[in-house]
Amino acid sequence: MRRDAWAGGQQRAGAETSARAQQPAGALLGPLLAGSAQPHQVRRAARGLGLPERGRYAVVVLGTAPMVPDRDRDGDGARWCWCGEVGVVLLGRGGLDGPVGSLGEAGAGPGGVSPVVGGLAELGLARRLAGAALLTCGPGTHEIVTLDERLPTALVASRPELSARLLAEVFGPLLVLDPAEQALLVGTLEVWLECGGSVGRAAVRLRCHRNTVFNRLRRLERLTSRSLSHPGELVETVLALDALRLSAARG
């Protein structure tokens, strides 16, 4: 009798294990990505997905659901699990570059990628950070961006009410100009920033005299009441420029 009871218990345990293994990846990943998973849910997800609890993970949030298999393995050993438009990747030998590159080559964007976290229990944080990176992508693009390369813009994009206030406070006088003049001043600022603050290099890029670049920048300073040579005020101007780009992208 005891042997039969033991055998029955083993069968039930095996059936439970099999059922867990057959659960869709989304059902196992959902609580982890929401940041609400309890330790037993983390362990169950690890068993059901065949992934280690601790490891180098990142989360990708795409603008649309990807046309990829539920489970995939990249050439460098990275392993993927998908829950709708959210992907969890256990990184292989090449770190983030390989998975990000493969998504870009597949035209899967727009998408935001989190920093690397240390285990399944941290996927909720990674999901939020990847979502912040996605906010910096223009609609209709196929770019895949990491949060670390878009940190200032992500700060602006993740707080739309502050972004709108910053834009009005810094660029308010600029926004009432004729669109052509506004575009000229903003374009000059963008090129000057891309040239590391060099008026001479910006003039070459813009195909105009360096005094023309200098005069446009001085006009911008007068309109915004911010000096481009003052570190704190330059930071405000750059963040307001990010807010302007985001506002234009969203129409």
Side-chain angles (χ1 to χ4, degrees), residues 33-122:
L33 293 170
S36 59
Q38 300 300 311
H40 73 277
Q41 292 175 301
V42 175
R43 292 192 293 271
R44 183 170 61 207
R47 290 195 298 269
L49 297 169
L51 296 172
E53 288 187 47
R54 301 295 301 171
R56 296 169 60 245
Y57 287 94
V59 170
V60 177
V61 179
L62 299 179
T64 57
M67 299 297 292
V68 295
D70 288 339
R71 297 288 296 276
D72 199 5
R73 185 183 291 270
D74 284 345
D76 68 351
R79 297 174 59 188
W80 287 93
C81 292
W82 289 91
C83 179
E85 75 281 3
V86 181
V88 173
V89 57
L90 173 64
L91 298 176
R93 298 179 299 276
L96 271 176
D97 291 344
V100 171
S102 65
L103 288 174
E105 291 169 5
V113 185
S114 76
V116 178
V117 296
L120 293 176
E122 300 173 56

Side-chain angles (χ1 to χ4, degrees), residues 77 99 155 161 201 237:
L155 284 171
E161 70 283 3
R201 287 166 55 198
T237 302

Side-chain angles (χ1 to χ4, degrees), residues 110-112 132-139 141 143-145 150 246 249:
L134 176 61
L135 290 176
T136 71
C137 298
T141 68
E143 58 185 346
I144 304 291
V145 301
R150 294 282 181 90
L246 290 168

